[in-house]
């Protein structure tokens, strides 16, 4: 073999991906109740749609109205943008870990492995409980959206109908979840795109009798309301709106090709934040005044008070409010579908590691965590409580577990990535072994963690003082901040149970190779290793696409 041919062969194998095991096993450490295997039936198109439109639901279409009313249009956009940027860094960190370790449980498993088992226990149950309690709320929300057309029918009828639909979806396993999300996400994306076009037409005076609006409502009643109190109140609403984006990482163990699908899906988050949230909310703030008294009721499942529906109604368009209400119904069903995925996979992974009842670790021949699905659907029966006269008060407390939980989970994802990189360096590993590396590395995760902490502080302040002249109210405080003491209690309980009071897993004690899918790196550097001005455009394109 000539020197030239030998060098070409060496270059071609400089960075070689190790093939995934045929049995789909994750070889993960800490498993004490090994069960069957989850089936890798999610394709790249499923992952992309889950990333782009999977979490678009009542948080955007309804909850944004209360955020607009509390903080004004500028606070609405800035708040959602801060949470969006924070989530962008979080998803990049999660993508790097999920590609290298496509294991069941994803971020829960990473926190246990790279941070601390007790904190992982607290995060796992906090996340599972959040999805368990969100499902009955989403079922009621779907039923209430039907009241837009049929107020004469009892909501319990629709709770039953939608619960049966979810049960049918579960028959088809993860593939059913992926196909349903693929279809429903396309509907939501089309609706968001259509609203942007319609909003521009309304703002320019093309529809309705208000004429050209421009930035009128940014001056009167103003861009901000209620000072810092109103601004801080946007964060929990925004967290609920973005909640579910992290499911892309959770789906890594059931993706047919996580090395390709996970980075591609995580990069789509950038476009979802920029296009479907920020631009939609900017348009919304232009065509609907923040002092509209109807926005007081824009919370929970009140789709009749959705700011999107109200803006269309104010324009005098007869049919579109019903069409958009149908979109909201579809969005709520989509989030309910995500509930059955998020909680079941987390509980099953925890049961495998002895942090949940053993029976929850069971996976049937179709790759479904059967008993976890039964538990989740059982929580769906709580939807009938909402029919009672005081039922919605119960759900106010149940939902207090969800919005704030996302900040803890997202922050823990960033922290796990930071600890992973520190352990990787401490143990002398080569960064080129990591199949997908985040563009900003450890600094992006540090920014994401910092923004999570800032959001928790701002939410704490808003829970105490929701308005400038408010006084602290214990009930109102815990309705917003109940997740925090629950996380602390779970953390301390597992510390006491395990008897291990150390704060961190030592860097040199972290097993970096179990379940890993690294690249084989030879001495030759690949073409993109050296960062130059010449390859900067290509590096930007690769980072975004």
């Amino acid at each position: 073999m000539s020197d030239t041919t030998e060098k070409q062969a060496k270059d071609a194998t400089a960075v070689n991906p190790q093939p995934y095991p045929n049995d789909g096993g994750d070889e993960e450490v800490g498993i004490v109740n090994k069960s069957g295997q989850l089936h890798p039936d999610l394709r790249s198109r499923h992952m992309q749609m889950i990333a782009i439109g999977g979490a678009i639901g009542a948080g955007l279409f309804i909850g944004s109205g209360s955020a607009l009313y509390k903080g004004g249009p500028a606070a609405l956009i800035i708040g959602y943008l801060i949470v969006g940027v924070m989530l962008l860094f979080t998803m990049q960190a999660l993508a790097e870990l999920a590609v290298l370790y496509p294991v069941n449980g994803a971020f829960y498993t990473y926190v246990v492995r790279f941070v601390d088992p007790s904190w992982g226990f607290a995060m796992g149950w906090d996340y599972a409980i959040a999805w368990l309690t969100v499902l009955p709320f989403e079922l009621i929300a779907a039923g209430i959206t039907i009241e837009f057309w049929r107020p004469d029918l009892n909501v319990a009828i629709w709770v039953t109908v939608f619960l049966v639909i979810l049960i049918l979806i579960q028959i088809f396993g993860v593939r059913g979840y992926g196909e349903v999300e693929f279809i429903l996400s396309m509907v939501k994306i089309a609706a968001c795109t259509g609203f942007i076009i319609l909003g521009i037409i309304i703002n320019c005076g093309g529809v309705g009798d208000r004429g050209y609006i421009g930035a009128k409502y940014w001056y009167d009643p103003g861009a901000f309301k209620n000072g810092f109190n109103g601004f801080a109140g946007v964060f929990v609403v925004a967290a609920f709106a973005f909640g579910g984006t992290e499911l892309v990482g959770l789906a890594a163990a059931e993706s047919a090709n996580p090395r390709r699908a996970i980075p591609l899906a995580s990069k789509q988050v950038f476009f979802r934040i920029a296009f479907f949230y920020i631009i939609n909310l900017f348009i919304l703030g232009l065509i609907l005044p923040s002092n509209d008294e109807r926005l007081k009721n824009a919370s929970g499942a009140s789709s009749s008070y959705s700011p999107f529906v109200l803006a269309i109604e104010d324009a005098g368009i007869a049919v579109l409010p019903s069409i958009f209400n149908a979109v909201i119904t579809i969005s709520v069903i989509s989030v309910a579908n995500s509930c059955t995925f998020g909680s079941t996979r987390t509980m099953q992974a925890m049961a495998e590691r002895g942090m949940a009842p053993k029976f929850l670790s069971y996976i049937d021949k179709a790759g479904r965590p059967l008993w976890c699905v039964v538990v989740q659907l059982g929580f769906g029966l709580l939807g009938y409580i909402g029919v009672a006269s005081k039922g919605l008060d119960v759900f106010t407390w149940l939902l207090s577990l969800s919005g704030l939980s996302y900040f803890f989970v997202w922050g823990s994802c960033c922290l796990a990535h930071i600890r992973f990189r520190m352990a990787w360096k401490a143990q002398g590993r080569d960064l080129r072994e990591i199949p997908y590396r985040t563009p900003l590395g450890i600094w992006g995760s540090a920014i994401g963690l910092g923004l999570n902490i800032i959001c928790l502080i701002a939410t704490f302040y808003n829970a105490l003082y929701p308005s400038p002249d408010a006084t602290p109210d214990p009930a109102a405080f815990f309705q917003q901040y109940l997740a925090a003491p629950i996380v602390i209690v779970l953390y301390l309980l597992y510390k006491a149970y395990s008897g291990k009071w150390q704060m961190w897993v030592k860097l040199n004690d972290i097993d970096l190779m179990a379940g890993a899918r690294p690249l084989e790196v030879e001495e030759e550097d690949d073409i993109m290793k050296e960062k130059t001005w010449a390859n900067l455009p290509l590096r930007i394109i690769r980072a975004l696409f």
Side-chain angles (χ1 to χ4, degrees):
M1 182 182 290
S2 67
D3 292 342
T4 304
T5 306
E6 185 176 358
K7 186 177 188 305
Q8 288 174 346
K10 196 173 184 179
D11 289 342
T13 58
V15 180
N16 240 345
Q18 292 181 348
Y20 285 16
N22 294 329
D23 62 358
D26 59 28
E27 306 168 8
E28 178 56 41
V29 293
I31 292 179
V32 295
N33 300 315
K34 188 61 181 174
S35 185
Q37 294 293 337
L38 297 170
H39 288 189
D41 290 335
L42 289 177
R43 301 295 183 261
S44 181
R45 62 184 178 89
H46 298 137
M47 303 293 285
Q48 290 183 57
M49 278 300 175
I50 291 171
I52 297 175
I56 295 176
L60 173 64
F61 292 134
I62 301 176
S64 58
S66 64
L68 176 63
Y69 186 79
K70 291 176 183 177
L76 175 69
I77 294 173
I78 295 173
Y80 271 71
L81 187 60
I82 289 174
V83 175
V85 170
M86 173 184 70
L87 193 55
L88 181 62
F89 288 124
T90 302
M91 287 304 301
Q92 288 292 312
L94 189 56
E96 180 176 309
L97 292 172
V99 172
L100 183 59
Y101 304 99
V103 297
N104 189 21
F107 41 83
Y108 149 73
T109 307
Y110 305 145
V111 175
V112 170
R113 189 169 182 173
F114 301 122
V115 182
D116 176 56
S118 298
W119 188 248
F121 174 83
M123 287 301 96
W125 274 115
D126 181 52
Y127 188 72
I129 291 171
W131 280 122
L132 287 171
T133 54
V134 165
L135 177 60
F137 166 77
E138 296 295 343
L139 292 174
I140 292 177
I144 291 177
T145 59
I146 303 297
E147 286 187 336
F148 186 86
W149 301 288
R150 294 296 302 272
D152 57 313
L153 296 179
N154 194 299
V155 174
I157 297 173
W158 302 110
V159 170
T160 304
V161 170
F162 295 127
L163 189 57
V164 170
I165 291 174
L166 285 179
I167 293 173
L168 293 176
I169 293 173
Q170 301 314 304
I171 295 175
F172 300 96
V174 72
R175 189 61 179 267
Y177 162 73
E179 293 296 348
V180 169
E181 283 304 299
F182 181 79
I183 295 171
L184 299 186
S185 292
M186 286 197 296
V187 173
K188 291 185 284 186
I189 290 170
C192 289
T193 305
F195 182 81
I196 290 174
I197 297 171
L198 177 63
I200 294 173
I201 295 173
I202 294 174
N203 185 259
C204 294
V207 178
D209 57 0
R210 289 181 291 177
Y212 175 73
I213 300 174
K216 171 184 174 182
Y217 297 136
W218 281 60
Y219 293 97
D220 182 21
F224 293 93
K225 287 179 63 180
N226 298 319
F228 180 75
N229 307 74
F231 175 69
V234 174
F235 289 117
V236 170
V237 180
F240 189 79
F242 281 107
T245 308
E246 70 288 337
L247 289 174
V248 173
L250 199 62
E254 296 172 84
S255 172
N257 186 3
R259 183 165 290 168
R260 180 179 184 277
I262 299 295
L264 189 60
S266 66
K267 291 170 185 177
Q268 303 298 331
V269 174
F270 171 80
F271 300 100
R272 192 182 105 195
I273 293 168
F275 189 75
F276 299 117
Y277 281 85
I278 304 306
I279 296 180
N280 264 282
L281 294 176
F282 175 70
I283 296 294
L284 182 66
L286 289 177
I287 62 179
L288 191 67
S290 60
N291 62 352
D292 191 319
E293 291 298 319
R294 295 172 296 178
L295 293 176
K296 280 185 178 180
N297 302 312
S299 61
S302 304
S303 63
S304 298
Y305 298 99
S306 162
F308 291 81
V309 173
L310 294 177
I312 296 171
E313 286 179 341
D314 290 350
I317 304 173
V319 180
L320 276 183
S322 289
I323 294 176
F324 214 90
N325 191 74
V327 171
I328 296 175
T329 305
I330 289 172
S331 301
V332 171
I333 296 172
S334 171
V335 176
N337 186 39
S338 296
C339 290
T340 60
F341 182 80
S343 66
T344 56
R345 271 56 182 181
T346 303
M347 288 191 294
Q348 195 277 331
M350 294 184 71
E352 280 192 336
R353 287 157 182 82
M355 294 185 176
K358 182 179 178 180
F359 74 94
L360 293 177
S361 66
Y362 175 71
I363 298 175
D364 65 10
K365 293 180 180 179
R368 298 169 298 195
L370 197 58
W371 289 113
C372 294
V373 172
V374 171
V375 170
Q376 175 65 88
L377 294 175
F379 266 79
L381 297 175
L382 293 176
Y384 294 107
I385 296 177
V387 181
S389 57
K390 296 292 184 179
L392 292 179
D393 293 337
V394 175
F395 277 103
T396 300
W397 286 99
L398 288 177
L399 288 175
S400 64
L401 300 172
S402 58
L404 197 69
S405 297
Y406 295 119
F407 289 133
F408 284 107
V409 171
W410 297 336
S412 297
C413 289
C414 294
L415 180 59
H417 179 249
I418 292 171
R419 294 276 302 168
F420 157 72
R421 281 294 191 96
M422 291 171 66
W424 197 264
K425 181 179 180 180
Q427 297 185 26
R429 308 294 307 190
D430 193 325
L431 282 178
R432 291 177 298 162
E433 293 179 88
I434 301 175
Y436 172 73
R437 299 190 295 274
T438 63
L440 294 183
I442 197 172
W443 296 108
S445 295
I447 294 171
L449 177 60
L451 289 176
N452 272 285
I453 294 172
I454 290 172
C455 287
L456 283 170
I457 295 172
T459 304
F460 179 83
Y461 177 79
N462 180 258
L464 287 174
Y465 305 102
S467 61
D469 56 349
T471 56
D473 178 17
F477 173 80
F478 283 108
Q479 283 179 357
Q480 283 201 53
Y481 226 76
L482 184 60
I486 288 179
V487 166
I488 294 172
V489 169
L490 289 170
Y491 173 74
L492 293 176
L493 279 176
Y494 198 82
K495 279 291 184 188
Y497 170 76
S498 65
K500 298 178 180 178
W501 293 95
Q502 64 195 42
M503 189 170 184
W504 312 100
V505 178
K506 294 181 180 179
L507 296 180
N508 289 326
D509 291 341
I510 294 175
D511 188 345
L512 294 173
M513 287 296 101
R517 309 291 185 264
L519 299 177
E520 292 181 351
V521 183
E522 301 293 339
E523 293 182 0
E524 291 289 334
D525 293 333
D526 61 87
I527 191 171
M528 287 300 295
K529 182 177 185 299
E530 185 180 358
K531 296 180 180 180
T532 65
W533 289 107
N535 63 36
L536 177 61
L538 183 57
R539 285 189 284 121
I540 293 174
I541 292 174
R542 286 189 175 182
L544 291 178
F545 300 98

